[in-house]
Amino acid sequence: MRKAPLYFSSITLSLLMIATALVFSKETEKAEAQAVTTIPFAGQIATINLCCNGIEFTTTGQYQSIAYGNFIMEWYKMIPVPSVGLGLYSWWSILPGEKVLGSAIPGGVCLTVASECAVTTPVAWSVNQMGTTLIGI
C-alpha cells in the first residue's frame, strides 16, 4: 500500500481549508469595518417609491435620529444576514405609516423605474439593516 498519495491528498485538503478560513476572516473584517461606519436611524415612513434596485422611502423627522430624510433599501440587502449586519427584519413591511429602526450608510442612488432603470436619483442614505412594526400599530 502506497502512503504517499494519502499524505499528499490530506495536505492538499488541509491547505484548502486554511485558505477558505482566511478568505472568510477577511470578509468578516470588512463587515466589521463597515459596521463601525453605519449610522443608526429611526422614524416613520412618509412616502415610498419603487426603484429598479430597491425601495426608496422617506422618513418623518418625528424622532431625533441622526439619519433622516430619504433612504434606499436595496433588494440584495433585504435578506437577513445578522453576522454581516444586513437585512430586513420583524414584519418586513415597508409601507407609509410604518415605524422603522435600523442602520444606514451615507449616500446611494435609486434607479428610476419610469426611465427603465437608466436614470439615477440620489438618496441621502443606503440602509444596511432595518426592522419594521406591524401594520396599523
Side-chain angles (χ1 to χ4, degrees):
M1 178 180 210
R2 296 174 26 195
K3 294 182 182 179
L6 179 63
Y7 290 132
F8 179 75
S9 60
S10 64
I11 289 173
T12 304
L13 181 62
S14 299
L15 289 175
L16 285 173
M17 292 174 69
I18 291 170
T20 304
L22 288 174
V23 168
F24 284 125
S25 69
K26 288 186 181 195
E27 289 178 8
T28 304
E29 289 172 7
K30 288 179 187 176
E32 288 173 355
Q34 183 180 5
V36 173
T37 60
T38 60
I39 307 293
F41 72 93
Q44 185 171 4
I45 297 177
T47 62
I48 61 168
N49 183 25
L50 185 62
C51 303
C52 295
N53 60 331
I55 296 177
E56 178 186 4
F57 62 93
T58 58
T59 59
T60 62
Q62 73 187 49
Y63 300 113
Q64 293 182 352
S65 177
I66 296 172
Y68 63 91
N70 59 341
F71 295 81
I72 180 105
M73 181 68 177
E74 295 167 305
W75 300 122
Y76 76 93
K77 291 182 180 177
M78 288 189 182
I79 299 169
V81 184
S83 62
V84 181
L86 297 177
L88 181 60
Y89 298 93
S90 300
W91 295 96
W92 309 286
S93 177
I94 304 177
L95 295 171
E98 294 299 312
K99 292 178 177 55
V100 295
L101 175 68
S103 65
I105 56 174
V109 294
C110 167
L111 298 171
T112 58
V113 174
S115 70
E116 297 179 0
C117 305
V119 177
T120 61
T121 304
V123 295
W125 305 95
S126 293
V127 176
N128 284 341
Q129 61 181 348
M130 180 173 76
T132 64
T133 58
L134 180 60
I135 297 173
I137 292 180

